[in-house]
């Protein structure tokens, strides 16, 4: 094997697409997927690559220092692609401490292990996967650039911003070779159904109310998850150490317009009367501190590394709906479980 790669959070939504891509595209790499399997981790996401020679799953917690050190000793990683995180904004409002633990302490635990294991060694790389939410919220106009000052506004984005700062501090202080990307909202297969798009798809199927926060006027910038995995591949291999790359599809949607579009697609696919699912839309209390608008300028990634999204949104959304309709068991297994109460009493 030419490289030993640690991918954290590989059983989650984005991580599973990154693991699959690296296992399939790089048969000479050995890919180690380290995941704690929280409520959001699901090995069903990786069924198709289970058993491949260049893939190994390791169950474990990124906050467990001695265990992480032992993995670096045992597997002599050349690269780390770090995705493991608590990822849901609404949960961070209820349980901020879980986000401090995994997103901040977990990231620093990995950085420490990499710093010590890689001292005096060449050709190593620590890739930290982050979010556009670290930049805060936009008004009606403008875009997030790599140079936009950090202004996180939710406990989730504050924890991700903190982890980004630690990654840069490890480069500046200890010379650790790092690269960071900040991506906009992802959607696609295996998206956990507490997030807007799969939640809407599930509720339409079940004919349950579709909760739209506030007036539905908040704007998100959506990117197909496989395009994010492609971008991570390009940045991991061609990005410059110490650089930040924004990833996004120049694809802004008001929540209410997106929900209506999904209702139309689903009515057609399910053979329901036009407009039927829109009747399920229910305006509910807004998210506390709800960021109005995100919009990523991904020009640097296009100009310097040649990456562009491959799919138009309508096409990606249709593929996504088809995936959920063809994988009802995957969805049913999750929604029939008790995922909503995960962490309920632990951190209050
Ligand atoms: P996810 O919640 O679907 O998956 C997170 C994974 O991390 C799960 O498999 C979980 O089991 C694992 N995990 C959590 N805590 C862990 C721990 N302590 N030790 C080991 N594993 C642990 O998240 P996602 O949406 O796939 O996001 C992945 C990364 O991408 C996160 O860092 C997130 O901040 C970032 N990101 C997400 C989006 C998005 O739209 N979803 C956009 C930009 C950036
Ligand atoms: O921008 C990148 C971020 O996108 C990632 O860093 C996060 O990990 C990811 O969860 C996502 O955060 P959002 O908060 O934007 O995603 P979410 O799907 O939770 O919400 C999308 C929008 O929809 C947001 O404006 C809130 C709104 N919403 C959400 C839910 C769950 C609703 O109106 N109703 C809902 O039920």
């Amino acid at each position: 094997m030419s490289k030993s790669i640690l991918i954290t959070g590989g059983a989650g939504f984005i991580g599973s697409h990154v693991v699959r891509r690296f296992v399939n595209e790089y048969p000479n790499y050995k890919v180690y997927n380290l995941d704690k399997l929280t409520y959001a981790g699901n090995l069903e996401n990786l069924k198709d690559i289970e058993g491949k020679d260049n893939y190994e799953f390791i169950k474990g917690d990124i906050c467990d220092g001695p265990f992480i050190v032992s993995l670096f000793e045992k597997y002599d990683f050349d690269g780390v692609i770090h995705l493991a995180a608590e990822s849901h904004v609404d949960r961070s409002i209820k349980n901020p401490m879980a986000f401090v633990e995994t997103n901040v302490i977990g990231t620093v635990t990995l950085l420490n292990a990499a710093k010590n294991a890689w001292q005096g060694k060449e050709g190593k790389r620590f890739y930290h996967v982050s979010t556009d939410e670290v930049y805060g919220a936009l008004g009606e106009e403008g875009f997030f650039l790599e140079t936009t000052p950090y202004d996180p506004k939710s406990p989730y984005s504050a924890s991700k911003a903190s982890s980004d700062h630690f990654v840069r501090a490890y480069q500046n202080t200890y010379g650790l070779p790092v690269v960071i990307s900040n991506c906009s909202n992802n959607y696609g297969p295996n998206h956990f159904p507490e997030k807007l798009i799969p939640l809407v798809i599930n509720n339409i199927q079940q004919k349950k109310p579709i909760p739209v926060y506030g007036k539905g006027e908040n704007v998100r910038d959506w990117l197909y998850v496989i395009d994010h995995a492609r971008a991570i591949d390009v940045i991991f291999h061609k990005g410059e150490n110490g650089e930040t790359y924004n990833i996004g599809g120049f694809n802004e949607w008001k929540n209410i317009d997106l929900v209506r579009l999904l209702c139309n697609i689903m009515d057609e696919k399910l053979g329901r009367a036009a407009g039927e699912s829109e009747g399920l839309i229910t305006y509910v209390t807004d998210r506390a501190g709800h960021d109005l608008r995100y919009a990523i300028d991904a020009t640097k990634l296009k100009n310097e590394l040649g990456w562009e999204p491959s799919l138009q949104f309508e096409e990606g959304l249709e593929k996504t709906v088809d995936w959920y309709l063809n994988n009802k068991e995957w969805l049913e297994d999750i929604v029939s479980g008790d995922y909503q109460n995960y962490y309920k009493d632990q951190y209050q």
Side-chain angles (χ1 to χ4, degrees):
M1 295 289 173
S2 66
K3 270 189 203 291
S4 167
I5 309 285
L6 174 67
I7 299 181
T8 71
F13 167 47
I14 302 169
S16 60
H17 290 280
V18 176
V19 166
R20 176 176 300 102
R21 181 167 182 94
F22 273 70
V23 166
N24 289 337
E25 295 285 317
Y26 302 102
N28 291 335
Y29 291 3
K30 179 86 187 203
V31 175
Y32 297 93
N33 169 14
L34 170 65
D35 200 295
K36 185 179 170 184
L37 299 183
T38 67
Y39 78 95
N42 187 351
L43 289 176
E44 288 295 314
N45 297 351
L46 291 164
K47 268 265 171 268
D48 55 318
I49 59 158
E50 226 174 51
K52 286 212 168 193
D53 287 346
N54 66 335
Y55 170 67
E56 190 170 324
F57 174 69
I58 303 167
K59 186 170 190 291
D61 188 339
I62 56 166
C63 300
D64 182 346
F67 174 66
I68 298 297
V69 168
S70 75
L71 293 182
F72 274 80
E73 280 167 3
K74 187 168 175 192
Y75 298 114
D76 190 20
F77 301 124
D78 298 298
V80 174
I81 305 177
H82 174 38
L83 297 109
E86 288 296 331
S87 69
H88 195 46
V89 175
D90 292 326
R91 279 179 192 268
S92 82
I93 294 167
K94 289 195 183 124
N95 287 308
M97 199 56 85
F99 287 68
V100 175
E101 282 186 6
T102 291
N103 300 358
V104 185
I105 297 174
T107 300
V108 179
T109 303
L110 285 166
L111 288 167
N112 247 351
K115 164 180 87 75
N116 294 332
W118 291 351
Q119 235 156 31
K121 295 186 178 163
E122 296 290 313
K124 307 291 188 184
R125 166 156 283 182
F126 190 104
Y127 182 164
H128 179 60
V129 175
S130 193
T131 170
D132 60 357
E133 299 198 13
V134 298
Y135 299 123
L138 292 164
E140 300 292 327
E141 297 198 343
F143 291 90
F144 295 135
L145 291 164
E146 286 82 356
T147 49
T148 302
Y150 274 32
D151 187 19
K153 293 184 180 297
S154 73
Y156 164 70
S157 54
S159 70
K160 290 297 288 186
S162 171
S163 65
D164 292 12
H165 288 321
F166 269 105
V167 172
R168 294 197 179 96
Y170 268 66
Q171 159 128 36
N172 183 64
T173 310
Y174 309 109
L176 190 73
V178 305
V179 67
I180 299 181
S181 60
N182 297 84
C183 188
S184 63
N185 284 64
N186 285 216
Y187 71 99
N190 305 106
H191 204 182
F192 196 86
E194 66 188 349
K195 308 289 204 297
L196 180 69
I197 288 180
L199 182 133
V200 171
I201 293 173
N202 182 52
N203 286 18
I204 291 174
Q205 259 182 277
Q206 312 284 328
K207 298 195 177 180
K208 282 169 46 178
I210 300 170
V212 172
Y213 297 167
K215 294 180 177 159
E217 280 172 0
N218 302 68
V219 174
R220 295 294 180 265
D221 180 359
W222 294 94
L223 180 70
Y224 195 58
V225 63
I226 292 172
D227 278 331
H228 188 188
R230 283 177 48 243
I232 288 175
D233 182 348
V234 169
I235 294 166
F236 181 75
H237 288 101
K238 297 193 192 147
E240 290 282 328
N241 281 337
E243 289 294 317
T244 293
Y245 298 90
N246 278 353
I247 310 174
F250 290 101
N251 179 43
E252 293 179 52
W253 284 79
K254 261 189 193 170
N255 290 340
I256 188 63
D257 295 337
L258 168 57
V259 168
R260 289 204 175 108
L261 175 60
L262 268 173
C263 287
N264 293 343
I265 296 176
M266 290 286 288
D267 281 343
E268 211 177 294
K269 300 255 178 211
L270 295 172
R272 293 185 187 165
E276 187 178 329
S277 297
E278 282 199 23
L280 299 168
I281 293 174
T282 309
Y283 293 94
V284 298
T285 309
D286 209 353
R287 173 183 282 174
H290 198 172
D291 288 341
L292 177 67
R293 175 173 164 257
Y294 305 142
I296 275 281
D297 183 335
T299 308
K300 174 176 169 179
L301 184 55
K302 181 180 173 194
N303 289 350
E304 295 186 10
L305 304 183
W307 174 91
E308 279 186 278
S310 67
L311 274 189
Q312 291 299 313
F313 188 53
E314 283 75 359
E315 194 187 346
L317 210 51
E318 200 152 321
K319 267 174 169 287
T320 303
V321 168
D322 286 340
W323 187 86
Y324 280 92
L325 294 179
N326 292 328
N327 290 274
K328 287 187 178 149
E329 258 175 44
W330 182 93
L331 193 56
E332 181 51 32
D333 278 354
I334 294 173
V335 294
S336 63
D338 194 25
Y339 71 89
Q340 268 143 339
N341 288 322
Y342 196 82
Y343 295 139
K344 192 164 175 243
D345 303 315
Q346 216 173 327
Y347 296 96
Q348 302 286 355

